[in-house]
């Protein structure tokens, strides 16, 4: 799994990537496209903005819907993925725009939602 | 001044790890907490004869140990282990043993609707903001977000402290100055950072009033103030 799961990982949207270069982050987005090699995929956030996620080993399964990625932001402002999880939407769809509103709130009030 | 929360307080793992233990209770800032809820993903699950130990991760810190006791007397009551990779809401009591924090869970509920996880994030900010504002004898109700998400009612049992002739705003400024540990006191700039919605002129008015009433005094310059009440 790697050490990145033992440290605080800021929840971010695409617009925050530049601020968090080199840092461990957590990104939630909808799968837009997957590269044929399976080593790269694109997620859209609650604003519709796209983030590229890279993998060191290619995907061994089909991914779709809303994915939560844990990884580190690269110098190119992509995310090097260490692990990912698919959000269940079998009973209710996940509201990504609402999640983006929540991100705005936790970024505005870090004293009430501290990372680390 | 102690504010006890009689209710279950939604928290991040980072807040629980930062909570200070004072004798039998825990405190996040000045707020006493005991029963809490966290929402996170199960990274690890280990079953023992009398309990199940989970590691629950909400991204704010390293995963937290969550222990669920199994009732060995009840026939056929083998608790089903929630598999790693599942998002859950945990309700439990905060514990500390040999300086390591953990939760003893009385309820672990897999999330069926992931929008609950979004709601929990906002409820944490709302709850801690309200609990901290209850430190001040406010004559008005605390500000909430009005997003319609989650019911705010019931957070915090305090608020019945005597009014001391100051407005809610002046009291907020005074408490911030009182609680500042820095030798040269609190600066106007720092007050502006802490009071998101206040303008500098509003803050200056409050500081002038408090100073003229003798609650605070200036230190290194007219931008820095300390409380006349020794804490």
């Amino acid at each position: 799994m790697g050490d990145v799961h033992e440290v605080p990982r800021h929840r971010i949207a695409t617009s925050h990537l530049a601020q968090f270069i080199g840092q461990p982050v957590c990104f939630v987005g909808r799968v837009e496209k997957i590269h044929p090699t399976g080593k790269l995929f694109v997620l859209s956030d609650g604003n519709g903005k796209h983030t590229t996620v890279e993998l060191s080993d290619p995907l061994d399964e089909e991914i779709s819907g809303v994915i939560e990625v844990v990884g580190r932001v690269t110098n190119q402002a992509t995310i090097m993925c260490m692990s990912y999880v698919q959000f269940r939407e079998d009973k209710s769809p996940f509201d990504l725009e609402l999640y983006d509103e929540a991100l705005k709130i936790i970024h505005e009030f870090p004293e009430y939602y501290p990372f680390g | 001044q102690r504010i006890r929360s009689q209710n279950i307080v939604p928290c991040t793992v980072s807040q629980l790890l930062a909570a200070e233990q004072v004798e039998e209770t825990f405190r996040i800032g000045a707020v006493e907490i005991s029963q809490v809820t966290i929402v996170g993903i199960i990274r690890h699950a280990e079953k023992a004869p009398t309990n199940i130990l989970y590691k629950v991760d909400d991204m704010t810190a390293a995963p937290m140990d969550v222990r669920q006791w199994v009732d060995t007397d009840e026939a056929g009551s083998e608790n089903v282990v929630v598999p790693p990779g599942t998002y859950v809401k945990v309700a439990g009591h905060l514990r500390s043993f040999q300086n390591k924090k953990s939760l003893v869970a009385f309820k672990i509920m897999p999330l069926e609707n992931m929008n609950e996880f979004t709601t929990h994030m906002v409820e944490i900010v709302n709850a801690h903001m309200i609990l901290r504002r209850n430190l001040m004898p406010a004559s008005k109700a605390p500000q909430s977000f009005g997003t319609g998400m989650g019911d705010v009612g019931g957070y915090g049992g305090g608020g019945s402290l005597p009014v001391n002739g100051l407005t809610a705003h002046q009291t907020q400024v005074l408490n911030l100055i009182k609680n500042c540990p820095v030798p040269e006191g609190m600066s106007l700039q720092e007050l502006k950072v802490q009071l998101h919605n206040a303008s500098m002129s509003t803050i200056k008015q409050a500081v002038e009033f408090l100073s003229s009433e003798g609650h605070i005094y200036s230190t290194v310059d007219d931008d820095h103030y300390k409380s006349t009440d020794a804490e």
Side-chain angles (χ1 to χ4, degrees):
Chain A
M1 274 277 212
D3 54 25
V4 89
H5 297 86
E6 295 295 314
V7 299
R9 290 136 282 162
H10 277 263
R11 287 189 175 278
I12 62 165
T14 300
S15 57
H16 300 121
L17 284 169
Q19 280 168 255
F20 284 89
I21 297 209
Q23 311 259 29
V25 296
C26 175
F27 185 93
V28 176
R30 198 174 297 278
V31 179
E32 293 296 333
K33 45 182 183 267
I34 305 172
H35 193 267
T37 60
K39 293 190 78 176
L40 201 149
F41 56 90
V42 176
L43 299 178
S44 60
D45 68 8
N47 286 311
K49 300 213 183 104
H50 290 193
T51 287
T52 301
V53 179
E54 299 178 68
L55 298 154
S56 40
D57 299 313
L59 286 168
D60 58 6
E61 58 173 356
E62 198 65 49
I63 56 166
S64 64
V66 176
I67 302 282
E68 180 178 71
V69 168
V70 165
R72 218 176 266 278
V73 183
T74 67
N75 289 336
Q76 293 75 40
T78 64
I79 298 178
M80 179 56 84
C81 172
M82 295 294 147
S83 72
Y84 67 85
V85 150
Q86 188 155 336
F87 275 12
R88 66 181 289 187
E89 293 190 277
D90 54 325
K91 297 234 164 87
S92 315
F94 182 70
D95 190 334
L96 199 52
E97 289 73 32
L98 192 71
Y99 175 74
D100 191 73
E101 291 300 317
L103 279 190
K104 291 196 177 98
I105 288 169
I106 68 172
H107 279 248
E108 189 180 340
F109 296 99
E111 66 272 38
Y112 300 122
Y113 200 97
F115 282 94
Chain B
Q1 253 181 1
R2 278 167 52 173
I3 301 293
R4 164 169 302 161
S5 177
Q6 307 290 354
N7 303 288
I8 302 182
V9 184
C11 295
T12 62
V13 169
S14 54
Q15 284 167 333
L16 298 182
L17 294 176
E20 290 167 350
Q21 185 167 20
V22 181
E23 291 164 3
E24 300 297 312
T25 60
F26 292 94
R27 256 190 250 171
I28 298 180
V31 179
E32 265 183 38
I33 52 153
S34 168
Q35 292 182 86
V36 299
T37 55
I38 61 169
V39 167
I41 190 169
I42 296 189
R43 293 289 185 201
H44 187 75
E46 208 172 284
K47 190 163 185 176
T50 57
N51 68 90
I52 305 170
L53 176 63
Y54 293 103
K55 291 201 184 281
V56 177
D57 184 5
D58 73 353
M59 314 294 169
T60 63
M64 169 158 268
D65 283 356
V66 174
R67 194 164 262 113
Q68 188 176 36
W69 296 103
V70 171
D71 189 345
T72 50
D73 288 341
E74 231 177 275
S77 73
E78 288 249 313
N79 281 43
V80 176
V81 176
V82 182
T86 311
Y87 254 96
V88 293
K89 182 176 226 169
V90 178
H93 287 95
L94 185 59
R95 292 277 181 270
S96 182
F97 181 64
Q98 294 179 341
N99 255 337
K100 190 169 166 151
K101 297 254 182 40
S102 65
L103 280 186
V104 171
F106 49 80
K107 192 125 203 221
I108 298 184
M109 301 159 281
L111 292 190
E112 294 197 335
N113 183 342
M114 283 303 292
N115 294 306
E116 270 190 63
F117 137 83
T118 307
T119 309
H120 186 81
M121 285 167 59
V122 183
E123 282 180 352
I124 289 171
V125 174
N126 208 10
H128 287 260
M129 183 180 283
I130 285 171
L131 287 168
R132 200 174 289 193
R133 286 199 181 160
N134 281 348
L135 278 176
M136 303 133 194
S139 43
K140 324 177 205 186
Q143 248 177 296
S144 77
F145 288 106
T147 55
M149 274 194 285
D151 179 40
V152 169
Y155 287 126
S160 56
L161 299 161
V163 177
N164 51 7
L166 301 179
T167 65
H169 189 69
Q170 287 160 352
T171 310
Q172 231 177 332
V173 170
L174 180 59
N175 281 320
L176 283 168
I177 293 174
K178 267 191 192 169
N179 291 322
C180 178
V182 173
E184 66 267 24
M186 188 117 178
S187 70
L188 294 180
Q189 287 71 32
E190 181 58 24
L191 281 171
K192 177 115 175 65
V193 166
Q194 298 280 347
L195 299 167
H196 295 272
N197 294 329
S199 68
M200 188 48 99
S201 69
T202 315
I203 292 171
K204 279 188 177 165
Q205 271 171 30
V207 162
E208 263 159 12
F209 177 82
L210 291 169
S211 178
S212 67
E213 292 291 303
H215 294 288
I216 61 176
Y217 61 96
S218 60
T219 58
V220 293
D221 57 27
D222 284 343
D223 284 347
H224 290 81
Y225 290 87
K226 278 178 84 79
S227 163
T228 48
D229 253 9
E231 276 272 81

